[in-house]
Amino acid sequence: MSKHLKYINAMRSLSIQAIEKAGQGHTGMAMSACPITYTLFTKFIKISKSSQKWINRDRFVLSAGHGSMSLYSPMHFAGFLSINDIKNHKKKGCKTPGHPEYEENNFVDASTGPLGQGVAMSVGMAIAEKYLSKKFKSLINHYTYCLVGDGCIQEGISYESMSLAGKLGLNKLIVLHDSNDCQLDAKVNEAFNENLELRFKSMNWDYIKCLNDVESIELAIKQAQKNKKPTFIEVKTIIGEGTSCAGCNKSHGLKVDEKEISFFENYFSVKAKGFKFDKEIYNYFNKNVTQRGEKKYQAWKEKIDKLSKENPRIYNEFKKWTSNKFVDVSKILKSDDVNDLQATRDFVGIYMNQISKNRVNDTIIGSADLASATKLSFDVKKNFGIDSKYPEILYGIREFAMSGIQNGILLHGGLRSISSTFLSFSDYMKSSIRLGAMMKLNSSYVFTHDSYQVGGDGPTHQPFDQIPMLRAINGVYLYRPCDKVEALYTLNKLFSTKKETSIGIFTRQPISNVKGTNLDGCKKGGYILQNKSNNDITIAASGSEVGLAFEIANELAKENINVKIVSIISLKKFLENDEKYISNTLSSKYGLLTIEASSDNTWYKMQKYANNYYHQGAYTFGESMDGDQLYKEKGFNKENLISIIKKEIIKE
């Protein structure tokens, strides 16, 4: 019997007991993947219990997050989780939720569960490691390990992100595959018949296949560490090994009862009751995981202390970056020399040029092959690499991977990241944006081509239903600037966001000149641009519709109807103000008209602040035609809205 089996079976025993006590769980992977996680944590991964988010720790991403007990079990024996944490698996407030959840001070490197997302995040971590290691040398020098199941490598995001990883030559990325030939509904070969070796070699990866024993896995990882490419290790496992459904897809989420526990005990000749284990098992994990990792951490700290004395400049820069104290671009960006009558996306390009001239290189930016359109670029012709003047990634047409990879870059720490594409393509990215918001990452995105006015490209590229989707995500804030000043504020926000997701939405079409915009007002999410002494009505609008509000106001002024104009750069932020501020901002004699070329109905929350209320939104697909004409046909024209004001608000 392998000398390691005692410890692996202890992990399995702990896992099956926790699943039985929880009354539900994913038994299959908790059994099959234990030799993999055991080998990784006792022989390779360097982590610190005293500093669980140590910047130079090895990263471990359990992309197949349903197999969480195969991670929690070694973490318990190594002292990172208590036995009560294990007993409370899947219970409210527990440290052992059904899928691993990232927190600022725990050992989990990424929240996982939606299959394949962990693969993209591990690619992002490897990108961050590569860039930072070239800048700070041996201060950042670690591996990124990712454990996947068959579902992860079938999801499209894994194809996109692994393709890019091969292109970028991320040799310190090692992916291990719990290859058990089963998925939830059937055998894998009934749904999937790819040759994995050919697939990964075609993407510029090295491929290794091995058995599910410690010696084979250890040998494969050592070989992977020598490779000059990212490595995919296929480990042939038995799903649910030790259960009555071993090797069967039914074991994926097998319900564990006393009969199943007895079968398990007989199969492995171990005890699986009472959560009791020999002290020697704890000592072994403490020595080979905790103490080994702590020695690595202390040696690294000595290196840092030495650097602080020998090279204070590099030391101070390193401390700033790893403490998320980045360049304050608000001290760089100036709107004075920016012409007003342009598309707001052009303002992005102008402000990015200002940032480039100031050598800001603590932010990885990228685009899904649209930097020339979104204008989010340092130098669109250069790819990621040490020879790049600034860290910029050409993601290619990989929107989903881009957002998942950005999550990984931010999870790694030491860098900011901003990505861009068309607003209509945010549909591809939604689940990654949601996951980033869930982890409270400082995620930032630039989305352009904001409305029907995209025009001739037709309904596939004309967004109206994406804004409500994005606003609906908890922790996601949209900023829709109406001019160069609000665009400046938005760029500042994208570069300084903290623990929330900030999205800037910009136009392709030129916008009208706007008066009264200011940075202090933007902080409130909404503020008054035009205020008469006796306001008959209030018009509140966002982005390109603010210019339309001024057109309406100017026309109504001819009839002695006074209009207050309010810019809503961020609807969610505005609605978070106290009621007095909202009421004072929106108040007028007759009522309120709100305008936005989207189908978001969140605007209804303003109704209680007005005697009469009407919202002009966008609710139907457009068509391929002139954008300005389509915009007007959908009701976004002064004639239509003046008629609505008179009928629904002033009620003549």
Side-chain angles (χ1 to χ4, degrees):
M1 183 175 77
S2 169
K3 63 179 180 179
H4 304 288
L5 198 55
K6 174 182 179 180
Y7 309 110
I8 294 170
N9 284 343
M11 288 169 57
R12 286 167 167 155
S13 174
L14 184 75
S15 298
I16 201 167
Q17 290 182 71
I19 291 169
E20 188 271 338
K21 193 171 191 307
Q24 57 172 307
H26 293 85
T27 313
M29 187 176 179
M31 301 295 105
S32 62
C34 277
I36 301 173
T37 52
Y38 168 84
T39 306
L40 279 169
F41 281 97
T42 61
K43 295 184 176 296
F44 293 100
I45 291 179
K46 58 180 184 185
I47 52 176
S48 168
K49 186 179 178 183
S50 63
S51 182
Q52 296 193 31
K53 289 299 193 256
W54 168 33
I55 190 70
N56 199 40
R57 71 192 183 279
D58 287 327
R59 305 305 197 270
F60 175 75
V61 180
L62 182 63
S63 186
H66 56 271
S68 58
M69 280 310 305
S70 64
L71 169 60
Y72 298 151
S73 54
M75 290 295 95
H76 164 66
F77 289 120
F80 288 73
L81 291 168
S82 71
I83 196 65
N84 284 331
D85 292 330
I86 299 297
K87 290 179 179 179
N88 288 324
H89 179 45
K90 294 195 170 188
K91 291 184 172 60
K92 182 179 180 179
C94 70
K95 296 181 181 179
T96 53
H99 295 82
E101 294 180 16
Y102 171 86
E103 294 179 9
E104 286 187 340
N105 297 305
N106 72 351
F107 60 87
V108 176
D109 288 324
S111 294
T112 54
L115 295 180
Q117 296 243 16
V119 178
M121 289 187 283
S122 67
V123 172
M125 293 173 187
I127 286 174
E129 189 279 336
K130 185 172 183 178
Y131 180 71
L132 291 172
S133 68
K134 290 176 192 282
K135 182 172 180 62
F136 296 113
K137 311 303 179 187
S138 61
L139 297 182
I140 302 293
N141 182 26
H142 66 79
Y143 287 92
T144 299
Y145 300 95
C146 181
L147 179 55
V148 304
D150 292 291
C152 294
I153 60 174
Q154 289 174 30
E155 286 284 1
I157 191 171
S158 72
Y159 287 84
E160 293 182 23
S161 54
M162 292 173 118
S163 170
L164 185 61
K167 175 67 175 66
L168 299 179
L170 303 178
N171 61 299
K172 300 190 79 172
L173 172 61
I174 300 173
V175 174
L176 298 103
H177 174 204
D178 173 29
S179 179
N180 54 45
D181 298 322
C182 291
Q183 49 197 74
L184 185 59
D185 282 347
K187 291 287 187 180
V188 170
N189 61 14
E190 294 182 49
F192 184 81
N193 64 349
E194 288 185 13
N195 184 315
L196 292 179
E197 181 176 6
L198 294 178
R199 169 181 165 182
F200 285 103
K201 285 185 174 180
S202 73
M203 291 195 291
N204 198 39
W205 283 60
D206 281 312
Y207 168 89
I208 301 171
K209 190 172 185 177
C210 71
L211 300 174
N212 193 26
D213 61 70
V214 175
E215 291 75 17
S216 298
I217 298 168
E218 181 179 9
L219 186 64
I221 295 173
K222 285 181 176 178
Q223 177 59 50
Q225 290 180 337
K226 297 175 183 177
N227 291 338
K228 296 182 180 180
K229 303 175 182 178
T231 302
F232 183 86
I233 302 173
E234 183 178 4
V235 185
K236 293 308 299 181
T237 65
I238 300 173
I239 189 171
E241 185 174 4
T243 69
S244 61
C245 293
C248 172
N249 58 294
K250 291 182 180 180
S251 71
H252 174 89
L254 178 67
K255 184 174 175 58
V256 178
D257 53 19
E258 288 188 12
K259 183 178 179 181
E260 200 60 57
I261 292 285
S262 296
F263 186 98
F264 173 86
E265 289 180 322
N266 291 330
Y267 185 91
F268 284 120
S269 299
V270 296
K271 295 293 183 182
K273 293 175 183 174
F275 292 95
K276 296 187 182 298
F277 300 90
D278 294 342
K279 186 177 180 180
E280 190 274 331
I281 293 173
Y282 289 96
N283 291 340
Y284 179 85
F285 279 89
N286 180 56
K287 177 182 177 182
N288 290 282
V289 180
T290 312
Q291 291 183 25
R292 181 176 61 81
E294 205 62 32
K295 287 178 182 177
K296 297 281 188 182
Y297 175 58
Q298 294 302 326
W300 181 83
K301 282 185 67 179
E302 290 176 9
K303 187 183 295 186
I304 289 289
D305 292 339
K306 184 178 179 181
L307 178 71
S308 68
K309 298 168 185 174
E310 294 180 352
N311 196 331
R313 185 184 66 81
I314 293 295
Y315 170 80
N316 289 330
E317 187 174 25
F318 178 77
K319 293 296 286 184
K320 283 182 179 180
W321 285 32
T322 54
S323 301
N324 291 327
K325 295 177 181 178
F326 303 115
V327 174
D328 183 356
V329 301
S330 68
K331 297 178 180 179
I332 296 171
L333 301 181
K334 307 293 181 185
S335 63
D336 298 342
D337 58 348
V338 179
N339 294 326
D340 284 289
L341 195 56
Q342 299 184 67
T344 54
R345 65 163 176 171
D346 291 334
F347 300 145
V348 174
I350 294 168
Y351 292 133
M352 286 302 298
N353 286 338
Q354 294 177 7
I355 289 169
S356 297
K357 288 177 181 178
N358 282 270
R359 296 184 161 298
V360 176
N361 63 350
D362 56 17
T363 308
I364 291 183
I365 66 170
S367 167
D369 201 45
L370 285 171
S372 58
T374 66
K375 311 299 183 182
L376 184 78
S377 179
F378 295 129
D379 184 349
V380 74
K381 296 179 181 178
K382 290 197 175 183
N383 204 341
F384 173 85
I386 191 171
D387 296 326
S388 296
K389 187 175 181 181
Y390 304 103
E392 181 166 352
I393 301 174
L394 296 181
Y395 280 105
I397 300 89
R398 301 182 180 101
E399 290 91 351
F400 195 0
M402 177 175 71
S403 49
I405 289 170
Q406 176 162 289
N407 285 343
I409 292 170
L410 298 172
L411 283 165
H412 182 279
L415 290 164
R416 294 180 287 197
S417 186
I418 306 174
S419 302
S420 69
T421 188
F422 291 168
L423 176 58
S424 60
F425 300 157
S426 63
D427 291 328
Y428 288 122
M429 304 163 63
K430 192 255 188 179
S431 56
S432 287
I433 293 172
R434 178 177 183 268
L435 197 56
M438 198 180 299
M439 293 185 280
K440 297 181 180 178
L441 302 180
N442 51 317
S443 301
S444 295
Y445 297 93
V446 166
F447 293 146
T448 69
H449 296 47
D450 70 325
S451 72
Y452 289 127
Q453 286 177 286
V454 174
D457 287 339
T460 58
H461 285 54
Q462 295 164 358
F464 70 93
D465 47 334
Q466 284 73 24
I467 285 177
M469 170 192 76
L470 294 167
R471 280 201 186 119
I473 304 172
N474 183 41
V476 174
Y477 292 85
L478 272 61
Y479 298 87
R480 196 163 179 246
C482 70
D483 74 343
K484 64 180 182 180
V485 175
E486 290 196 352
L488 184 146
Y489 177 84
T490 301
L491 262 292
N492 281 335
K493 191 67 182 177
L494 297 182
F495 275 88
S496 63
T497 189
K498 303 291 184 185
K499 296 185 179 181
E500 63 187 31
T501 298
S502 296
I503 297 175
I505 296 178
F506 301 88
T507 70
R508 186 181 76 169
Q509 71 277 9
I511 51 144
S512 303
N513 296 324
V514 174
K515 295 180 180 180
T517 52
N518 64 85
L519 299 180
D520 288 336
C522 290
K523 294 175 184 177
K524 292 284 192 177
Y527 61 103
I528 298 169
L529 294 179
Q530 175 177 288
N531 197 11
K532 302 291 185 178
S533 57
N534 296 298
N535 293 299
D536 295 304
I537 66 160
T538 301
I539 302 177
S542 76
S544 50
E545 282 71 71
V546 173
L548 178 58
F550 274 96
E551 290 182 31
I552 296 166
N554 292 336
E555 196 67 30
L556 289 175
K558 297 174 183 177
E559 302 178 41
N560 295 317
I561 298 174
N562 293 330
V563 177
K564 178 193 288 184
I565 298 177
V566 176
S567 174
I568 306 293
I569 184 175
S570 176
L571 180 60
K572 188 180 288 189
K573 284 288 185 187
F574 179 68
L575 291 170
E576 289 177 352
N577 288 294
D578 60 76
E579 290 201 354
K580 182 178 180 181
Y581 176 80
I582 298 173
S583 179
N584 288 341
T585 303
L586 299 178
S587 64
S588 61
K589 181 179 179 181
Y590 292 110
L592 171 67
L593 169 71
T594 55
I595 316 171
E596 183 176 72
S598 83
S599 59
D600 191 354
N601 288 317
T602 309
W603 293 88
Y604 81 90
K605 293 183 179 181
M606 295 187 178
Q607 185 169 1
K608 71 177 187 177
Y609 301 103
N611 299 326
N612 300 302
Y613 175 70
Y614 188 91
H615 175 66
Q616 175 65 42
Y619 304 103
T620 57
F621 294 114
E623 57 185 293
S624 181
M625 59 184 289
D626 176 75
D628 288 339
Q629 182 184 348
L630 177 62
Y631 187 66
K632 292 175 181 178
E633 285 189 7
K634 293 294 184 178
F636 296 92
N637 63 80
K638 64 182 180 182
E639 293 79 14
N640 174 59
L641 292 172
I642 287 172
S643 174
I644 288 171
I645 287 169
K646 292 179 177 180
K647 290 179 181 178
E648 303 293 337
I649 298 176
I650 298 178
K651 296 187 176 181
E652 292 183 340

